Amino acid sequence: MDNGEPRDALRRALGWLAHPVSVAGLVLLLVNDHLLKAWQPGWVTGKLSDVAGMLMFPPLLAVVIALVAPRVPGRGLALGALAATGAGFALVKTSAYGAQLASQAWSVVNGPSVVRADLTDLLALPALGLGWWAWRRTGSRPAPGRAVARLVRGAVLVPVALLATAATSAAIPPPETVLLVEDGVDVYLGIDFDGTRSWAVSVDDGLSWTAYEPDPSDPPLPESPRQDCAGQVCYRVVPGALHVESSQDGGLTWRTAWEIRGRQHQALVDEYDGGLLSEPVGSLWSFGLVVRETETGHVVLVANGRDGLLRRDAEGVWTRLGTWSDREWDAPPPLAEVWTPDAAQRTRATAYTIGVVVLFVLMAGLIAATAGRRTVPLPVLVLSGLAAWAAATAGTLAATSTGPAVGAWITVTALGSGALAACALLLLAVKAARARLLPRWRLAVLLLVGGVAAAVAGWTRALVLDDGVVLRDAALDRLAAALLVTVVALIAGGLAVAAVRLNPPRPGSEWRPPAAPGE
């Protein structure tokens, strides 16, 4: 019941679809997907589609549900449509499995389409709040004439919205090198672009290429082999990755011959999918390869999808040639420089992390234990705190550094301030022990808190940095790691202060019930 009288669910859903907010979402979807995306495909137009869908799809879904269940309560209908839209959108954008299901479903009604998981698309979810506001506004009773007009508009908009949803243009796929085959003499390169396949042929083992038009009467070329050999030397592609393995014993054992992975692979994805005018990433993995024997060795050619053609010459040098397009090569973006710490750098970073956190926790606990007890002068406590903070700051910078990019001044500063803080720590510990302010159980608690916090800080820092750092973005990675270590240290310092300030009940001071009269 809405506004004191029963309301038909379909009537309310049609009114919601006819609301100016929903109509604006429908118009934005049509204009963006059929005009703006063709004019300037990229990040901005992709996000506009998501916002338009959040405004238009819930009322359309409500209309469809109301047609099947006309007696469903209006409020539950709206909340269900909004929740289903948000949950489905989140599943698709945060899960590779959800994106795959959406791609398959969309391909049924829209032809071959690709829906990709992208966490940044979740920025469109707050638009659902505007859709809820629009539904609330439809609860007011308009004049009879306006009510009829609103229902008519909603009924007219239903087929338009359905067609707009089904006919939303998929992003134009980028050119992808997906096929490499040979006939014993020449090598043929197949490039897929916007649903069509173009060909190039090489007669000199991939050094030069010319456009090729296959004869319709010729049999179709086979698919690219995933493994090929030159004598006992074999190569194979790893499915789903930019990865080529080689074998020197005819395929009995394998090792990596060429690979783009980890942070470098993610940086390459960002290069292909970054910027307003960029094309979608496409299939960024190795499809197949061919091995060609030469007079001086062998040549390997690999079809790497969106990244184009990869060639290994007879001297063993791998070169990314790019994509063959319009009778010329489009060079691939250069690979980002990635720093990966070695064992010594990992050890030093771990030592800095442990030292920073444990020192900060012990200093916080000892300052809290001695403050206000007249055992240590106030200036000494202040200077001790400053030394601890300086040591923690410099130590955190050293622990989250990118190795070769760090100057020696950070190490010197960390060790110098750490030495001052250690002296202050020793002084406070002696004063606290003489005044019997730090029993063994309190010291054990401080050490326990410091050890656990150091382990947590080291683990979180390793998640950010130990897998490698793209040097051009190193500042962001270091900032994230430093913030994690700092937050853990601050929380642990607070726990240390609380631990030394808690006073256990003294023997004989426990509460007892009052004695009964006469006892």
Side-chain angles (χ1 to χ4, degrees):
M1 180 173 293
D2 297 316
N3 293 332
E5 63 181 21
R7 289 292 182 91
D8 179 71
L10 182 59
R11 181 187 299 269
R12 185 69 181 274
L14 288 172
W16 188 13
L17 184 61
H19 190 275
V21 170
S22 305
V23 175
L26 175 59
V27 172
L28 177 60
L29 185 68
L30 290 171
V31 172
N32 183 71
D33 283 10
H34 295 279
L35 294 178
L36 298 181
K37 276 188 175 180
W39 174 48
Q40 284 190 333
W43 190 88
V44 174
T45 51
K47 297 300 181 284
L48 286 178
S49 289
D50 298 332
V51 172
M54 295 300 101
L55 296 177
M56 184 273 296
F57 191 78
L60 178 62
L61 180 60
V63 170
V64 175
I65 296 175
L67 287 172
V68 179
R71 295 186 179 276
V72 65
R75 185 182 183 88
L77 177 65
L79 289 175
L82 290 167
T85 301
F89 185 78
L91 175 64
V92 169
K93 295 302 180 180
T94 59
S95 165
Y97 177 72
Q100 182 181 7
L101 289 179
S103 299
Q104 295 172 351
W106 209 249
S107 298
V108 173
V109 297
N110 195 38
S113 302
V114 177
V115 179
R116 294 182 177 86
D118 186 357
L119 290 176
T120 62
D121 288 345
L122 298 181
L123 294 173
L125 285 177
L128 293 175
L130 190 57
W132 171 252
W133 175 84
W135 179 84
R136 293 283 301 265
R137 296 289 295 175
T138 62
S140 58
R141 288 186 298 177
R146 294 187 63 184
V148 174
R150 188 168 66 180
L151 292 178
V152 172
R153 288 200 310 270
V156 171
L157 288 172
V158 169
V160 177
L162 288 173
L163 289 175
T165 303
T168 296
S169 61
I172 299 175
E176 299 179 3
T177 304
V178 298
L179 192 64
L180 265 173
V181 293
E182 61 174 340
D183 59 4
V185 178
D186 303 327
V187 181
Y188 299 90
L189 182 68
I191 302 99
D192 283 355
F193 178 66
D194 198 14
T196 62
R197 177 167 293 177
S198 60
W199 292 92
V201 62
S202 175
V203 298
D204 52 8
D205 300 322
L207 287 176
S208 62
W209 297 82
T210 57
Y212 170 74
E213 291 292 338
D215 191 333
S217 62
D218 292 340
L221 294 170
E223 292 297 321
S224 301
R226 294 184 177 274
Q227 178 177 328
D228 199 4
C229 300
Q232 288 294 308
V233 180
C234 297
Y235 294 85
R236 69 181 182 185
V237 297
V238 177
L242 289 173
H243 191 182
V244 180
E245 294 180 330
S246 64
S247 173
Q248 304 296 318
D249 51 15
L252 294 178
T253 59
W254 296 89
R255 63 177 181 83
T256 295
W258 178 90
E259 183 182 17
I260 299 177
R261 64 180 180 88
R263 296 294 179 89
Q264 200 169 48
H265 184 274
Q266 184 58 49
L268 185 62
V269 171
D270 294 338
E271 285 287 340
Y272 280 126
D273 201 29
L276 179 64
L277 300 178
S278 67
E279 295 173 336
V281 173
S283 303
L284 198 57
W285 61 77
S286 302
F287 281 83
L289 56 77
V290 295
V291 179
R292 304 276 292 178
E293 294 191 63
T294 66
E295 294 180 356
T296 58
H298 60 271
V299 172
V300 183
L301 300 172
V302 186
N304 274 343
R306 179 73 166 93
D307 201 50
L309 180 66
L310 172 70
R311 185 178 188 271
R312 177 200 181 275
D313 61 21
E315 286 71 35
V317 178
W318 295 88
T319 305
R320 296 162 60 231
L321 298 178
T323 303
W324 174 264
S325 175
D326 295 330
R327 302 179 184 273
E328 62 182 11
W329 287 102
D330 292 334
L335 294 178
E337 186 180 359
V338 177
W339 166 75
T340 302
D342 56 26
Q345 290 166 335
R346 292 175 189 269
T347 302
R348 286 197 299 269
T350 302
Y352 276 120
T353 305
I354 294 174
V356 163
V357 176
V358 173
L359 179 63
F360 190 78
V361 168
L362 291 178
M363 186 67 77
L366 285 173
I367 290 176
T370 55
R373 305 296 178 89
R374 297 183 179 180
T375 57
V376 180
L378 181 60
V380 174
L381 292 177
V382 173
L383 291 176
S384 300
L386 292 176
W389 186 254
T393 303
T396 300
L397 291 176
T400 57
S401 65
T402 52
V406 178
W409 66 270
I410 291 183
T411 301
V412 173
T413 305
L415 294 177
S417 58
L420 292 176
C423 293
L425 180 66
L426 180 61
L427 173 64
L428 294 180
V430 171
K431 293 288 187 180
R434 288 181 177 178
R436 298 182 179 180
L437 298 176
L438 195 66
R440 292 182 179 178
W441 70 269
R442 290 188 188 275
L443 182 58
V445 170
L446 289 181
L447 292 175
L448 177 62
V449 171
V452 173
V456 173
W459 177 69
T460 54
R461 176 195 52 76
L463 287 180
V464 177
L465 295 181
D466 274 11
D467 190 37
V469 175
V470 179
L471 289 181
R472 69 163 181 259
D473 301 327
L476 296 177
D477 288 325
R478 291 183 60 197
L479 177 61
L483 286 176
L484 288 172
V485 174
T486 302
V487 169
V488 172
L490 289 175
I491 294 175
L495 293 175
V497 171
V500 300
R501 284 296 187 179
L502 289 177
N503 293 319
R506 296 179 180 178
S509 63
E510 294 83 0
W511 179 84
R512 292 186 178 88
E519 292 186 1

